[in-house]
Amino acid sequence: MRGKFITIEGTEGVGKTTNIAFIKQWLDDNGISFINTREPGGTPLAEEIRQVLLSNRDEKVCSKAELLMMFAGRAQHIDQVIEPQLAQGNWVLCDRFTDATYAYQGAGREMGDDLIKDLETMVQGDMRPDLTLILDVPVELGLERAGKRSEPDRFELEKTDFFNRVRHAYLSIATNNPQRYKIIDASQALEHVQLQIADTLNSFLQKDHNG
Ligand code: TMP
C-alpha cells in the first residue's frame, strides 16, 4: 500500500523542529515506517539549491528566479525521494512543501497564485500531500523566537509585513480546504501544541484504517 505524505508548514519560529521530533516519535510508536525530509532540499542536488536560495548575497534575487529554484529542487526531490518512498509504502514527513511556495512566493513576494499553480501541475501532476499541519503563531512572537537562534538567512531578513502576508496565506489556504489542512495553535504551551498534533494524527490514522 502506498505511504502517506505529511507536510509541516508555518512562518519563522513556530517550532517546526521540536514538533517534527514529536511526530517522528508518534510514527515510531505507531509502527509506521517513514522518512523525514525537507524543502528546499532533501537530495544532494536540492540541498545545493537550498544553499543558493538561503544564502545572503549582494545581488538581488528576482522573484521568478527564486520561484523556479524552489520548483527545480522540488522536482528532483519528488523524483529521487518522495515518490519512490511513497511507492514502497513508507510515509514521508516533509518539513515544508508547495504550500510554502504559495505562502512565501505567492503572498510574501506578492507573485500571486497563477504561475505557482502552473508550475505545481508541471512538477507534481496531481500529487499533493495527504495531510498538512500548519503551525501558527503571531508573527512577532515567531520572529522573536527565531531571532534567538543563528544568523538570519535571506528569508529571515524579511520584514514583519512580509511574514504577515505569509501567515495569512497559510491560514486562508487551510480554511479553504479543511479536509487536508489542520491549523495548530503553536503559541500555546508545548504540551498543548503536542496534544493538538497527536489528536490530528490519531484521527488521520483512524480515517485511513476505516477507509
Ligand atoms: P526552513 O528554514 O524552514 O528550512 O525554510 C527555509 C526557507 O525557505 C524559509 O524561510 C521558507 C522558504 N521557502 C520558500 O520561500 N518557498 C518554498 O517553497 C519553501 C519550501 C521554503
Side-chain angles (χ1 to χ4, degrees), residues 9-10 12 16 38-40 50 53-54 66 70-71 74 95-105 109 149 153 155-156 162-163 170:
E9 300 280 357
E12 315 301 310
K16 280 192 294 120
R38 68 172 179 183
E39 290 213 348
R50 178 188 175 90
L53 276 161
L54 297 195
E66 182 177 286
M70 291 292 175
F71 271 105
R74 183 162 299 138
D95 180 347
R96 300 194 186 279
F97 195 63
T98 307
D99 293 305
T101 314
Y102 283 107
Y104 281 77
Q105 282 66 50
R109 301 275 187 238
R149 296 194 305 234
D153 64 32
F155 288 96
E156 289 164 344
F162 176 93
F163 292 113
Y170 274 135

PDB file of all heavy atoms in Angstrom, residues 9-10 12 16 38-40 50 53-54 66 70-71 74 95-105 109 149 153 155-156 162-163 170, ligand 1:
ATOM      1  N   GLU A   9       4.101  23.002   7.944  1.00  0.00           N
ATOM      2  CA  GLU A   9       4.307  24.361   7.445  1.00  0.00           C
ATOM      3  C   GLU A   9       4.192  25.373   8.572  1.00  0.00           C
ATOM      4  O   GLU A   9       3.670  25.061   9.647  1.00  0.00           O
ATOM      5  CB  GLU A   9       3.242  24.698   6.383  1.00  0.00           C
ATOM      6  CG  GLU A   9       3.233  23.792   5.151  1.00  0.00           C
ATOM      7  CD  GLU A   9       4.298  24.159   4.130  1.00  0.00           C
ATOM      8  OE1 GLU A   9       5.019  25.160   4.340  1.00  0.00           O
ATOM      9  OE2 GLU A   9       4.408  23.430   3.129  1.00  0.00           O
ATOM     10  N   GLY A  10       4.607  26.586   8.274  1.00  0.00           N
ATOM     11  CA  GLY A  10       4.457  27.683   9.236  1.00  0.00           C
ATOM     12  C   GLY A  10       5.463  28.779   8.941  1.00  0.00           C
ATOM     13  O   GLY A  10       6.404  28.563   8.173  1.00  0.00           O
ATOM     14  N   GLU A  12       8.323  31.725  10.376  1.00  0.00           N
ATOM     15  CA  GLU A  12       9.562  31.526  11.139  1.00  0.00           C
ATOM     16  C   GLU A  12       9.244  31.395  12.647  1.00  0.00           C
ATOM     17  O   GLU A  12       8.341  32.043  13.143  1.00  0.00           O
ATOM     18  CB  GLU A  12      10.521  32.709  10.936  1.00  0.00           C
ATOM     19  CG  GLU A  12      10.678  33.184   9.499  1.00  0.00           C
ATOM     20  CD  GLU A  12      11.178  32.123   8.535  1.00  0.00           C
ATOM     21  OE1 GLU A  12      12.192  31.470   8.847  1.00  0.00           O
ATOM     22  OE2 GLU A  12      10.565  31.946   7.464  1.00  0.00           O
ATOM     23  N   LYS A  16       8.790  24.267  14.307  1.00  0.00           N
ATOM     24  CA  LYS A  16       8.731  23.090  13.420  1.00  0.00           C
ATOM     25  C   LYS A  16       9.660  21.977  13.891  1.00  0.00           C
ATOM     26  O   LYS A  16       9.267  20.813  13.920  1.00  0.00           O
ATOM     27  CB  LYS A  16       9.074  23.477  11.974  1.00  0.00           C
ATOM     28  CG  LYS A  16       7.900  24.118  11.240  1.00  0.00           C
ATOM     29  CD  LYS A  16       8.154  24.238   9.732  1.00  0.00           C
ATOM     30  CE  LYS A  16       9.265  25.199   9.431  1.00  0.00           C
ATOM     31  NZ  LYS A  16      10.398  24.669   8.737  1.00  0.00           N
ATOM     32  N   ARG A  38      13.038  17.450   3.896  1.00  0.00           N
ATOM     33  CA  ARG A  38      12.702  18.869   3.989  1.00  0.00           C
ATOM     34  C   ARG A  38      12.798  19.547   2.636  1.00  0.00           C
ATOM     35  O   ARG A  38      13.439  19.046   1.717  1.00  0.00           O
ATOM     36  CB  ARG A  38      13.654  19.573   4.940  1.00  0.00           C
ATOM     37  CG  ARG A  38      15.079  19.657   4.410  1.00  0.00           C
ATOM     38  CD  ARG A  38      15.917  20.547   5.312  1.00  0.00           C
ATOM     39  NE  ARG A  38      17.305  20.648   4.875  1.00  0.00           N
ATOM     40  CZ  ARG A  38      18.232  21.319   5.540  1.00  0.00           C
ATOM     41  NH1 ARG A  38      17.925  21.922   6.666  1.00  0.00           N
ATOM     42  NH2 ARG A  38      19.464  21.395   5.097  1.00  0.00           N
ATOM     43  N   GLU A  39      12.155  20.706   2.550  1.00  0.00           N
ATOM     44  CA  GLU A  39      12.286  21.554   1.365  1.00  0.00           C
ATOM     45  C   GLU A  39      12.553  22.985   1.802  1.00  0.00           C
ATOM     46  O   GLU A  39      12.036  23.404   2.844  1.00  0.00           O
ATOM     47  CB  GLU A  39      11.011  21.508   0.528  1.00  0.00           C
ATOM     48  CG  GLU A  39      10.838  20.165  -0.137  1.00  0.00           C
ATOM     49  CD  GLU A  39      10.165  20.255  -1.503  1.00  0.00           C
ATOM     50  OE1 GLU A  39       9.625  21.326  -1.838  1.00  0.00           O
ATOM     51  OE2 GLU A  39      10.171  19.251  -2.209  1.00  0.00           O
ATOM     52  N   PRO A  40      13.297  23.793   1.048  1.00  0.00           N
ATOM     53  CA  PRO A  40      14.030  23.292  -0.091  1.00  0.00           C
ATOM     54  C   PRO A  40      15.108  22.320   0.390  1.00  0.00           C
ATOM     55  O   PRO A  40      15.688  22.521   1.442  1.00  0.00           O
ATOM     56  CB  PRO A  40      14.635  24.550  -0.728  1.00  0.00           C
ATOM     57  CG  PRO A  40      14.556  25.615   0.320  1.00  0.00           C
ATOM     58  CD  PRO A  40      13.483  25.238   1.265  1.00  0.00           C
ATOM     59  N   ARG A  50      19.192  24.642  -2.130  1.00  0.00           N
ATOM     60  CA  ARG A  50      18.819  25.292  -0.860  1.00  0.00           C
ATOM     61  C   ARG A  50      19.880  26.320  -0.418  1.00  0.00           C
ATOM     62  O   ARG A  50      19.552  27.440  -0.031  1.00  0.00           O
ATOM     63  CB  ARG A  50      18.648  24.227   0.236  1.00  0.00           C
ATOM     64  CG  ARG A  50      18.320  24.802   1.604  1.00  0.00           C
ATOM     65  CD  ARG A  50      18.347  23.738   2.699  1.00  0.00           C
ATOM     66  NE  ARG A  50      18.144  24.335   3.990  1.00  0.00           N
ATOM     67  CZ  ARG A  50      16.942  24.518   4.570  1.00  0.00           C
ATOM     68  NH1 ARG A  50      15.858  24.111   3.961  1.00  0.00           N
ATOM     69  NH2 ARG A  50      16.835  25.091   5.740  1.00  0.00           N
ATOM     70  N   LEU A  53      19.579  29.333  -2.423  1.00  0.00           N
ATOM     71  CA  LEU A  53      18.371  30.104  -2.095  1.00  0.00           C
ATOM     72  C   LEU A  53      18.485  30.859  -0.771  1.00  0.00           C
ATOM     73  O   LEU A  53      17.977  31.966  -0.644  1.00  0.00           O
ATOM     74  CB  LEU A  53      17.169  29.155  -2.013  1.00  0.00           C
ATOM     75  CG  LEU A  53      16.507  28.818  -3.338  1.00  0.00           C
ATOM     76  CD1 LEU A  53      15.662  27.547  -3.202  1.00  0.00           C
ATOM     77  CD2 LEU A  53      15.636  29.977  -3.820  1.00  0.00           C
ATOM     78  N   LEU A  54      19.116  30.234   0.210  1.00  0.00           N
ATOM     79  CA  LEU A  54      19.103  30.829   1.559  1.00  0.00           C
ATOM     80  C   LEU A  54      20.258  31.794   1.814  1.00  0.00           C
ATOM     81  O   LEU A  54      20.171  32.630   2.714  1.00  0.00           O
ATOM     82  CB  LEU A  54      19.125  29.738   2.639  1.00  0.00           C
ATOM     83  CG  LEU A  54      17.937  28.785   2.700  1.00  0.00           C
ATOM     84  CD1 LEU A  54      17.922  28.026   4.022  1.00  0.00           C
ATOM     85  CD2 LEU A  54      16.608  29.485   2.516  1.00  0.00           C
ATOM     86  N   GLU A  66      13.805  32.876  -7.914  1.00  0.00           N
ATOM     87  CA  GLU A  66      13.589  32.204  -6.627  1.00  0.00           C
ATOM     88  C   GLU A  66      12.524  31.109  -6.766  1.00  0.00           C
ATOM     89  O   GLU A  66      12.709  29.968  -6.321  1.00  0.00           O
ATOM     90  CB  GLU A  66      13.159  33.245  -5.594  1.00  0.00           C
ATOM     91  CG  GLU A  66      12.956  32.694  -4.203  1.00  0.00           C
ATOM     92  CD  GLU A  66      12.612  33.812  -3.221  1.00  0.00           C
ATOM     93  OE1 GLU A  66      13.512  34.587  -2.849  1.00  0.00           O
ATOM     94  OE2 GLU A  66      11.435  33.913  -2.826  1.00  0.00           O
ATOM     95  N   MET A  70      12.926  26.985  -6.346  1.00  0.00           N
ATOM     96  CA  MET A  70      12.117  26.182  -5.414  1.00  0.00           C
ATOM     97  C   MET A  70      11.558  24.961  -6.144  1.00  0.00           C
ATOM     98  O   MET A  70      11.615  23.842  -5.640  1.00  0.00           O
ATOM     99  CB  MET A  70      10.948  26.996  -4.845  1.00  0.00           C
ATOM    100  CG  MET A  70      11.345  28.104  -3.896  1.00  0.00           C
ATOM    101  SD  MET A  70      12.033  27.432  -2.349  1.00  0.00           S
ATOM    102  CE  MET A  70      12.542  28.964  -1.538  1.00  0.00           C
ATOM    103  N   PHE A  71      11.019  25.181  -7.327  1.00  0.00           N
ATOM    104  CA  PHE A  71      10.420  24.065  -8.049  1.00  0.00           C
ATOM    105  C   PHE A  71      11.466  23.140  -8.675  1.00  0.00           C
ATOM    106  O   PHE A  71      11.201  21.950  -8.858  1.00  0.00           O
ATOM    107  CB  PHE A  71       9.413  24.562  -9.092  1.00  0.00           C
ATOM    108  CG  PHE A  71       8.026  24.707  -8.523  1.00  0.00           C
ATOM    109  CD1 PHE A  71       7.506  25.956  -8.244  1.00  0.00           C
ATOM    110  CD2 PHE A  71       7.254  23.589  -8.237  1.00  0.00           C
ATOM    111  CE1 PHE A  71       6.235  26.095  -7.698  1.00  0.00           C
ATOM    112  CE2 PHE A  71       5.978  23.714  -7.689  1.00  0.00           C
ATOM    113  CZ  PHE A  71       5.466  24.974  -7.422  1.00  0.00           C
ATOM    114  N   ARG A  74      12.323  20.902  -5.935  1.00  0.00           N
ATOM    115  CA  ARG A  74      11.156  20.055  -5.642  1.00  0.00           C
ATOM    116  C   ARG A  74      11.033  18.921  -6.671  1.00  0.00           C
ATOM    117  O   ARG A  74      10.739  17.775  -6.300  1.00  0.00           O
ATOM    118  CB  ARG A  74       9.899  20.938  -5.638  1.00  0.00           C
ATOM    119  CG  ARG A  74       8.621  20.224  -5.274  1.00  0.00           C
ATOM    120  CD  ARG A  74       7.557  21.242  -4.871  1.00  0.00           C
ATOM    121  NE  ARG A  74       8.002  22.007  -3.714  1.00  0.00           N
ATOM    122  CZ  ARG A  74       7.835  23.330  -3.565  1.00  0.00           C
ATOM    123  NH1 ARG A  74       7.181  24.031  -4.474  1.00  0.00           N
ATOM    124  NH2 ARG A  74       8.299  23.937  -2.492  1.00  0.00           N
ATOM    125  N   ASP A  95       9.311  18.641   5.996  1.00  0.00           N
ATOM    126  CA  ASP A  95       9.354  19.979   6.570  1.00  0.00           C
ATOM    127  C   ASP A  95       9.237  20.961   5.397  1.00  0.00           C
ATOM    128  O   ASP A  95      10.202  21.175   4.681  1.00  0.00           O
ATOM    129  CB  ASP A  95      10.701  20.101   7.314  1.00  0.00           C
ATOM    130  CG  ASP A  95      10.914  21.440   7.973  1.00  0.00           C
ATOM    131  OD1 ASP A  95      10.158  22.384   7.686  1.00  0.00           O
ATOM    132  OD2 ASP A  95      11.875  21.546   8.757  1.00  0.00           O
ATOM    133  N   ARG A  96       8.039  21.454   5.165  1.00  0.00           N
ATOM    134  CA  ARG A  96       7.658  22.376   4.077  1.00  0.00           C
ATOM    135  C   ARG A  96       7.520  21.663   2.735  1.00  0.00           C
ATOM    136  O   ARG A  96       8.256  20.726   2.424  1.00  0.00           O
ATOM    137  CB  ARG A  96       8.650  23.529   3.882  1.00  0.00           C
ATOM    138  CG  ARG A  96       8.821  24.424   5.081  1.00  0.00           C
ATOM    139  CD  ARG A  96       9.547  25.701   4.647  1.00  0.00           C
ATOM    140  NE  ARG A  96       9.867  26.564   5.774  1.00  0.00           N
ATOM    141  CZ  ARG A  96       8.998  27.387   6.340  1.00  0.00           C
ATOM    142  NH1 ARG A  96       7.755  27.452   5.902  1.00  0.00           N
ATOM    143  NH2 ARG A  96       9.366  28.145   7.356  1.00  0.00           N
ATOM    144  N   PHE A  97       6.601  22.206   1.934  1.00  0.00           N
ATOM    145  CA  PHE A  97       6.404  21.736   0.560  1.00  0.00           C
ATOM    146  C   PHE A  97       5.738  22.887  -0.206  1.00  0.00           C
ATOM    147  O   PHE A  97       5.962  24.055   0.137  1.00  0.00           O
ATOM    148  CB  PHE A  97       5.569  20.434   0.572  1.00  0.00           C
ATOM    149  CG  PHE A  97       5.574  19.659  -0.704  1.00  0.00           C
ATOM    150  CD1 PHE A  97       6.749  19.105  -1.210  1.00  0.00           C
ATOM    151  CD2 PHE A  97       4.397  19.456  -1.421  1.00  0.00           C
ATOM    152  CE1 PHE A  97       6.743  18.383  -2.398  1.00  0.00           C
ATOM    153  CE2 PHE A  97       4.375  18.732  -2.600  1.00  0.00           C
ATOM    154  CZ  PHE A  97       5.550  18.193  -3.088  1.00  0.00           C
ATOM    155  N   THR A  98       4.921  22.575  -1.201  1.00  0.00           N
ATOM    156  CA  THR A  98       4.433  23.618  -2.122  1.00  0.00           C
ATOM    157  C   THR A  98       3.567  24.688  -1.455  1.00  0.00           C
ATOM    158  O   THR A  98       3.493  25.814  -1.946  1.00  0.00           O
ATOM    159  CB  THR A  98       3.681  22.944  -3.289  1.00  0.00           C
ATOM    160  OG1 THR A  98       4.573  21.960  -3.826  1.00  0.00           O
ATOM    161  CG2 THR A  98       3.317  23.917  -4.376  1.00  0.00           C
ATOM    162  N   ASP A  99       2.938  24.367  -0.324  1.00  0.00           N
ATOM    163  CA  ASP A  99       2.182  25.415   0.373  1.00  0.00           C
ATOM    164  C   ASP A  99       3.109  26.561   0.773  1.00  0.00           C
ATOM    165  O   ASP A  99       2.679  27.716   0.821  1.00  0.00           O
ATOM    166  CB  ASP A  99       1.483  24.843   1.608  1.00  0.00           C
ATOM    167  CG  ASP A  99       0.398  23.872   1.196  1.00  0.00           C
ATOM    168  OD1 ASP A  99      -0.490  24.267   0.407  1.00  0.00           O
ATOM    169  OD2 ASP A  99       0.444  22.707   1.630  1.00  0.00           O
ATOM    170  N   ALA A 100       4.376  26.234   1.066  1.00  0.00           N
ATOM    171  CA  ALA A 100       5.341  27.288   1.389  1.00  0.00           C
ATOM    172  C   ALA A 100       5.561  28.191   0.175  1.00  0.00           C
ATOM    173  O   ALA A 100       5.801  29.394   0.325  1.00  0.00           O
ATOM    174  CB  ALA A 100       6.664  26.687   1.851  1.00  0.00           C
ATOM    175  N   THR A 101       5.471  27.626  -1.006  1.00  0.00           N
ATOM    176  CA  THR A 101       5.649  28.454  -2.206  1.00  0.00           C
ATOM    177  C   THR A 101       4.466  29.411  -2.374  1.00  0.00           C
ATOM    178  O   THR A 101       4.642  30.583  -2.695  1.00  0.00           O
ATOM    179  CB  THR A 101       5.808  27.563  -3.454  1.00  0.00           C
ATOM    180  OG1 THR A 101       6.734  26.521  -3.156  1.00  0.00           O
ATOM    181  CG2 THR A 101       6.318  28.367  -4.634  1.00  0.00           C
ATOM    182  N   TYR A 102       3.238  28.890  -2.158  1.00  0.00           N
ATOM    183  CA  TYR A 102       2.073  29.788  -2.212  1.00  0.00           C
ATOM    184  C   TYR A 102       2.200  30.887  -1.159  1.00  0.00           C
ATOM    185  O   TYR A 102       1.867  32.050  -1.411  1.00  0.00           O
ATOM    186  CB  TYR A 102       0.771  29.008  -1.994  1.00  0.00           C
ATOM    187  CG  TYR A 102       0.331  28.235  -3.222  1.00  0.00           C
ATOM    188  CD1 TYR A 102       0.443  26.854  -3.284  1.00  0.00           C
ATOM    189  CD2 TYR A 102      -0.186  28.901  -4.327  1.00  0.00           C
ATOM    190  CE1 TYR A 102       0.043  26.138  -4.412  1.00  0.00           C
ATOM    191  CE2 TYR A 102      -0.582  28.207  -5.469  1.00  0.00           C
ATOM    192  CZ  TYR A 102      -0.462  26.830  -5.504  1.00  0.00           C
ATOM    193  OH  TYR A 102      -0.848  26.150  -6.615  1.00  0.00           O
ATOM    194  N   ALA A 103       2.665  30.502   0.041  1.00  0.00           N
ATOM    195  CA  ALA A 103       2.728  31.471   1.136  1.00  0.00           C
ATOM    196  C   ALA A 103       3.880  32.474   0.939  1.00  0.00           C
ATOM    197  O   ALA A 103       3.673  33.686   1.026  1.00  0.00           O
ATOM    198  CB  ALA A 103       2.853  30.743   2.472  1.00  0.00           C
ATOM    199  N   TYR A 104       5.085  31.955   0.673  1.00  0.00           N
ATOM    200  CA  TYR A 104       6.266  32.844   0.628  1.00  0.00           C
ATOM    201  C   TYR A 104       6.406  33.569  -0.710  1.00  0.00           C
ATOM    202  O   TYR A 104       6.649  34.774  -0.738  1.00  0.00           O
ATOM    203  CB  TYR A 104       7.546  32.063   0.935  1.00  0.00           C
ATOM    204  CG  TYR A 104       7.760  31.804   2.412  1.00  0.00           C
ATOM    205  CD1 TYR A 104       7.041  30.807   3.070  1.00  0.00           C
ATOM    206  CD2 TYR A 104       8.653  32.570   3.156  1.00  0.00           C
ATOM    207  CE1 TYR A 104       7.224  30.571   4.428  1.00  0.00           C
ATOM    208  CE2 TYR A 104       8.841  32.336   4.522  1.00  0.00           C
ATOM    209  CZ  TYR A 104       8.119  31.347   5.150  1.00  0.00           C
ATOM    210  OH  TYR A 104       8.299  31.119   6.495  1.00  0.00           O
ATOM    211  N   GLN A 105       6.331  32.807  -1.819  1.00  0.00           N
ATOM    212  CA  GLN A 105       6.497  33.476  -3.114  1.00  0.00           C
ATOM    213  C   GLN A 105       5.170  34.120  -3.549  1.00  0.00           C
ATOM    214  O   GLN A 105       5.145  35.263  -3.988  1.00  0.00           O
ATOM    215  CB  GLN A 105       7.008  32.491  -4.180  1.00  0.00           C
ATOM    216  CG  GLN A 105       8.513  32.199  -4.092  1.00  0.00           C
ATOM    217  CD  GLN A 105       8.916  31.454  -2.829  1.00  0.00           C
ATOM    218  OE1 GLN A 105       8.336  30.430  -2.466  1.00  0.00           O
ATOM    219  NE2 GLN A 105       9.921  31.981  -2.138  1.00  0.00           N
ATOM    220  N   ARG A 109       6.158  37.387  -1.516  1.00  0.00           N
ATOM    221  CA  ARG A 109       6.761  38.148  -2.631  1.00  0.00           C
ATOM    222  C   ARG A 109       5.710  38.780  -3.539  1.00  0.00           C
ATOM    223  O   ARG A 109       6.065  39.367  -4.564  1.00  0.00           O
ATOM    224  CB  ARG A 109       7.642  37.242  -3.496  1.00  0.00           C
ATOM    225  CG  ARG A 109       8.776  36.563  -2.784  1.00  0.00           C
ATOM    226  CD  ARG A 109      10.012  37.449  -2.686  1.00  0.00           C
ATOM    227  NE  ARG A 109      11.134  36.709  -2.147  1.00  0.00           N
ATOM    228  CZ  ARG A 109      11.794  37.078  -1.047  1.00  0.00           C
ATOM    229  NH1 ARG A 109      11.459  38.160  -0.401  1.00  0.00           N
ATOM    230  NH2 ARG A 109      12.813  36.354  -0.619  1.00  0.00           N
ATOM    231  N   ARG A 149      18.050  32.321  17.543  1.00  0.00           N
ATOM    232  CA  ARG A 149      18.865  31.213  17.019  1.00  0.00           C
ATOM    233  C   ARG A 149      20.117  31.747  16.339  1.00  0.00           C
ATOM    234  O   ARG A 149      20.878  32.485  16.928  1.00  0.00           O
ATOM    235  CB  ARG A 149      18.010  30.365  16.086  1.00  0.00           C
ATOM    236  CG  ARG A 149      16.853  29.698  16.809  1.00  0.00           C
ATOM    237  CD  ARG A 149      16.203  28.606  15.997  1.00  0.00           C
ATOM    238  NE  ARG A 149      15.772  29.055  14.687  1.00  0.00           N
ATOM    239  CZ  ARG A 149      14.523  28.912  14.229  1.00  0.00           C
ATOM    240  NH1 ARG A 149      13.617  28.326  14.966  1.00  0.00           N
ATOM    241  NH2 ARG A 149      14.200  29.327  13.021  1.00  0.00           N
ATOM    242  N   ASP A 153      19.006  34.008   7.685  1.00  0.00           N
ATOM    243  CA  ASP A 153      19.253  33.720   6.269  1.00  0.00           C
ATOM    244  C   ASP A 153      18.509  34.750   5.413  1.00  0.00           C
ATOM    245  O   ASP A 153      17.906  35.693   5.931  1.00  0.00           O
ATOM    246  CB  ASP A 153      18.869  32.265   5.930  1.00  0.00           C
ATOM    247  CG  ASP A 153      17.389  31.977   6.110  1.00  0.00           C
ATOM    248  OD1 ASP A 153      16.563  32.894   5.894  1.00  0.00           O
ATOM    249  OD2 ASP A 153      17.054  30.824   6.465  1.00  0.00           O
ATOM    250  N   PHE A 155      15.749  34.728   3.845  1.00  0.00           N
ATOM    251  CA  PHE A 155      14.319  34.897   4.102  1.00  0.00           C
ATOM    252  C   PHE A 155      14.080  35.539   5.470  1.00  0.00           C
ATOM    253  O   PHE A 155      13.217  36.399   5.618  1.00  0.00           O
ATOM    254  CB  PHE A 155      13.591  33.550   4.022  1.00  0.00           C
ATOM    255  CG  PHE A 155      13.494  33.048   2.605  1.00  0.00           C
ATOM    256  CD1 PHE A 155      14.422  32.144   2.109  1.00  0.00           C
ATOM    257  CD2 PHE A 155      12.495  33.508   1.768  1.00  0.00           C
ATOM    258  CE1 PHE A 155      14.351  31.692   0.804  1.00  0.00           C
ATOM    259  CE2 PHE A 155      12.415  33.069   0.450  1.00  0.00           C
ATOM    260  CZ  PHE A 155      13.340  32.157  -0.035  1.00  0.00           C
ATOM    261  N   GLU A 156      14.878  35.102   6.443  1.00  0.00           N
ATOM    262  CA  GLU A 156      14.676  35.608   7.808  1.00  0.00           C
ATOM    263  C   GLU A 156      14.947  37.112   7.913  1.00  0.00           C
ATOM    264  O   GLU A 156      14.562  37.749   8.893  1.00  0.00           O
ATOM    265  CB  GLU A 156      15.554  34.825   8.791  1.00  0.00           C
ATOM    266  CG  GLU A 156      15.040  33.396   8.992  1.00  0.00           C
ATOM    267  CD  GLU A 156      16.057  32.452   9.644  1.00  0.00           C
ATOM    268  OE1 GLU A 156      17.262  32.781   9.688  1.00  0.00           O
ATOM    269  OE2 GLU A 156      15.625  31.376  10.091  1.00  0.00           O
ATOM    270  N   PHE A 162       6.033  41.193   5.384  1.00  0.00           N
ATOM    271  CA  PHE A 162       6.229  40.007   4.540  1.00  0.00           C
ATOM    272  C   PHE A 162       5.692  38.773   5.268  1.00  0.00           C
ATOM    273  O   PHE A 162       4.908  38.000   4.724  1.00  0.00           O
ATOM    274  CB  PHE A 162       7.728  39.872   4.234  1.00  0.00           C
ATOM    275  CG  PHE A 162       8.115  38.634   3.457  1.00  0.00           C
ATOM    276  CD1 PHE A 162       8.198  38.660   2.069  1.00  0.00           C
ATOM    277  CD2 PHE A 162       8.424  37.435   4.116  1.00  0.00           C
ATOM    278  CE1 PHE A 162       8.567  37.529   1.348  1.00  0.00           C
ATOM    279  CE2 PHE A 162       8.792  36.307   3.406  1.00  0.00           C
ATOM    280  CZ  PHE A 162       8.874  36.350   2.022  1.00  0.00           C
ATOM    281  N   PHE A 163       6.079  38.609   6.540  1.00  0.00           N
ATOM    282  CA  PHE A 163       5.673  37.414   7.279  1.00  0.00           C
ATOM    283  C   PHE A 163       4.183  37.441   7.622  1.00  0.00           C
ATOM    284  O   PHE A 163       3.563  36.395   7.732  1.00  0.00           O
ATOM    285  CB  PHE A 163       6.531  37.242   8.537  1.00  0.00           C
ATOM    286  CG  PHE A 163       7.950  36.898   8.195  1.00  0.00           C
ATOM    287  CD1 PHE A 163       8.980  37.780   8.455  1.00  0.00           C
ATOM    288  CD2 PHE A 163       8.248  35.698   7.558  1.00  0.00           C
ATOM    289  CE1 PHE A 163      10.286  37.469   8.104  1.00  0.00           C
ATOM    290  CE2 PHE A 163       9.547  35.378   7.200  1.00  0.00           C
ATOM    291  CZ  PHE A 163      10.566  36.270   7.470  1.00  0.00           C
ATOM    292  N   TYR A 170      -1.150  31.151   4.567  1.00  0.00           N
ATOM    293  CA  TYR A 170      -1.281  29.795   5.150  1.00  0.00           C
ATOM    294  C   TYR A 170      -2.681  29.608   5.748  1.00  0.00           C
ATOM    295  O   TYR A 170      -3.325  28.590   5.548  1.00  0.00           O
ATOM    296  CB  TYR A 170      -0.249  29.579   6.253  1.00  0.00           C
ATOM    297  CG  TYR A 170       1.115  29.102   5.798  1.00  0.00           C
ATOM    298  CD1 TYR A 170       2.282  29.680   6.303  1.00  0.00           C
ATOM    299  CD2 TYR A 170       1.244  28.026   4.902  1.00  0.00           C
ATOM    300  CE1 TYR A 170       3.539  29.227   5.928  1.00  0.00           C
ATOM    301  CE2 TYR A 170       2.502  27.579   4.524  1.00  0.00           C
ATOM    302  CZ  TYR A 170       3.639  28.174   5.036  1.00  0.00           C
ATOM    303  OH  TYR A 170       4.875  27.713   4.669  1.00  0.00           O
TER     304      TYR A 170
HETATM  305  P1  TMP B   1      13.321  26.431   6.705  1.00  0.00           P
HETATM  306  O1  TMP B   1      14.146  27.481   7.386  1.00  0.00           O
HETATM  307  O2  TMP B   1      12.002  26.212   7.325  1.00  0.00           O
HETATM  308  O3  TMP B   1      14.051  25.165   6.408  1.00  0.00           O
HETATM  309  O4  TMP B   1      12.935  27.026   5.263  1.00  0.00           O
HETATM  310  C1  TMP B   1      13.813  27.733   4.520  1.00  0.00           C
HETATM  311  C2  TMP B   1      13.194  28.990   3.986  1.00  0.00           C
HETATM  312  O5  TMP B   1      12.700  28.756   2.657  1.00  0.00           O
HETATM  313  C3  TMP B   1      12.025  29.524   4.796  1.00  0.00           C
HETATM  314  O6  TMP B   1      12.296  30.874   5.092  1.00  0.00           O
HETATM  315  C4  TMP B   1      10.858  29.439   3.856  1.00  0.00           C
HETATM  316  C5  TMP B   1      11.475  29.414   2.488  1.00  0.00           C
HETATM  317  N1  TMP B   1      10.696  28.692   1.463  1.00  0.00           N
HETATM  318  C6  TMP B   1      10.092  29.417   0.446  1.00  0.00           C
HETATM  319  O7  TMP B   1      10.203  30.632   0.408  1.00  0.00           O
HETATM  320  N2  TMP B   1       9.395  28.742  -0.511  1.00  0.00           N
HETATM  321  C7  TMP B   1       9.271  27.371  -0.524  1.00  0.00           C
HETATM  322  O8  TMP B   1       8.633  26.810  -1.424  1.00  0.00           O
HETATM  323  C8  TMP B   1       9.919  26.628   0.549  1.00  0.00           C
HETATM  324  C9  TMP B   1       9.826  25.144   0.550  1.00  0.00           C
HETATM  325  C10 TMP B   1      10.610  27.342   1.504  1.00  0.00           C
END
